[in-house]
């Protein structure tokens, strides 16, 4: 059975979603980040898996993470932190981020199959993000070595990660492309795409007051 991990950091003003300010205040940006994280945790909590992990940087663990195993993020750049997670978890692992509150179970169904005992062709799954990064990464046999050294937070990060997986001899499947919430424009787009989420409801409340 696949382990599903969510990588997240504590949603404190000035520490998360700084590119949303302006138009949002740092406090509003942090509240939007917290709503996106709660939406993600709710979806993961409902997935048919035996173990869920919150790979967390911070002290105040969200209430929505009840039932998740808590694992503190390691030091280093993002590639090092992701590599540490995949080196630590021995079971088939699916990692998702906290910036896609539009996430649904259908988006990750194919990746979950790497750990359900069926004969699936893919050794790994990658979820490309619209900005060139990736929002999900799954491996049947977790190996941080295929992540460590990949340049992160660039418009070619997803492509470079895919190349590393394939150069290691892995058969890689691609999940649907999703938009990360990073800017005011991407936040508006995601809120429209998933109007029933906590994130979208808060986004509407904040933006309607500015019209």
């Amino acid at each position: 059975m696949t382990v599903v991990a969510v990588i997240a950091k504590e949603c404190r003003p000035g520490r998360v979603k700084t590119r949303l300010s302006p138009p949002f205040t740092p406090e509003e940006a942090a509240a939007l980040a917290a709503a996106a994280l709660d939406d993600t945790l709710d979806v993961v909590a409902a997935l048919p898996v035996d173990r869920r992990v919150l790979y967390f940087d911070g002290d105040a663990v969200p209430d929505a993470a009840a039932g998740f195993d808590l694992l503190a993020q390691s030091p280093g750049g993002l590639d090092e932190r992701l590599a540490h997670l995949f080196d630590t978890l021995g079971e088939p692992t699916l990692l998702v981020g906290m910036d896609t509150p539009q996430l649904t179970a259908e988006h990750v169904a194919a990746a979950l199959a790497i750990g359900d005992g069926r004969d699936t062709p893919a050794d790994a799954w990658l979820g490309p993000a619209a900005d060139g990064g990736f929002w999900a990464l799954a491996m049947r046999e977790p190996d941080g070595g295929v992540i460590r050294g990949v340049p992160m937070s660039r418009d070619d990060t997803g492509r470079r990660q895919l190349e590393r997986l394939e150069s290691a001899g892995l058969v890689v499947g691609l999940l649907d492309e999703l938009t990360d919430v990073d800017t005011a424009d991407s936040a508006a787009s995601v809120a429209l795409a998933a109007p029933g989420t906590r994130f979208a409801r808060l986004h509407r409340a904040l933006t309607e007051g500015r019209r």
Side-chain angles (χ1 to χ4, degrees):
M1 183 76 68
T2 305
V3 176
V4 182
V6 179
I7 181 170
K9 59 184 175 181
E10 188 174 342
C11 299
R12 297 202 306 261
R15 188 167 183 260
V16 293
K17 296 297 154 211
T18 56
R19 293 171 63 192
L20 294 182
S21 303
F24 301 100
T25 67
E27 290 76 18
E28 290 170 340
L32 286 167
L37 175 54
D38 282 349
D39 285 327
T40 302
L41 293 170
D42 283 349
V43 171
V44 173
L47 293 176
V49 297
D50 291 332
R51 187 182 180 200
R52 301 163 187 85
V53 173
L54 178 60
Y55 189 41
F56 196 60
D57 177 10
D59 299 314
V61 178
D63 291 341
F68 284 64
D69 294 338
L70 183 65
L71 179 63
Q73 287 188 34
S74 65
L78 181 55
D79 66 310
E80 289 287 347
R81 287 178 279 138
L82 295 180
H84 175 77
L85 176 69
F86 278 87
D87 283 339
T88 300
L89 299 176
E91 311 99 318
T93 298
L94 165 65
L95 169 75
V96 298
M98 61 176 283
D99 299 331
T100 51
Q102 72 273 45
L103 179 70
T104 67
E106 288 72 25
H107 286 133
V108 296
L112 292 181
I114 65 171
D116 68 4
R118 289 185 292 173
D119 184 17
T120 57
D123 302 306
W125 288 87
L126 188 71
D131 63 1
F134 59 90
W135 61 269
L137 175 61
M139 282 186 258
R140 188 195 310 276
E141 297 181 3
D143 178 8
V146 299
I147 306 172
R148 195 172 286 107
V150 174
M152 297 287 162
S153 302
R154 297 182 2 175
D155 60 8
D156 65 345
T157 292
R159 178 177 61 81
R160 297 284 291 273
Q161 183 60 75
L162 178 60
E163 290 172 351
R164 283 288 295 275
L165 293 166
E166 291 179 336
S167 67
L170 302 179
V171 176
V172 185
L174 293 179
L175 302 173
D176 290 342
E177 180 180 282
L178 295 181
T179 297
D180 282 338
V181 173
D182 284 320
T183 64
D185 286 344
S186 61
S189 174
V190 169
L192 285 173
T197 59
R198 287 187 180 91
F199 175 84
R201 292 194 296 271
L202 178 57
H203 186 273
R204 286 195 296 271
L206 294 174
T207 54
E208 285 171 358
R210 292 184 167 88
R211 292 175 184 171

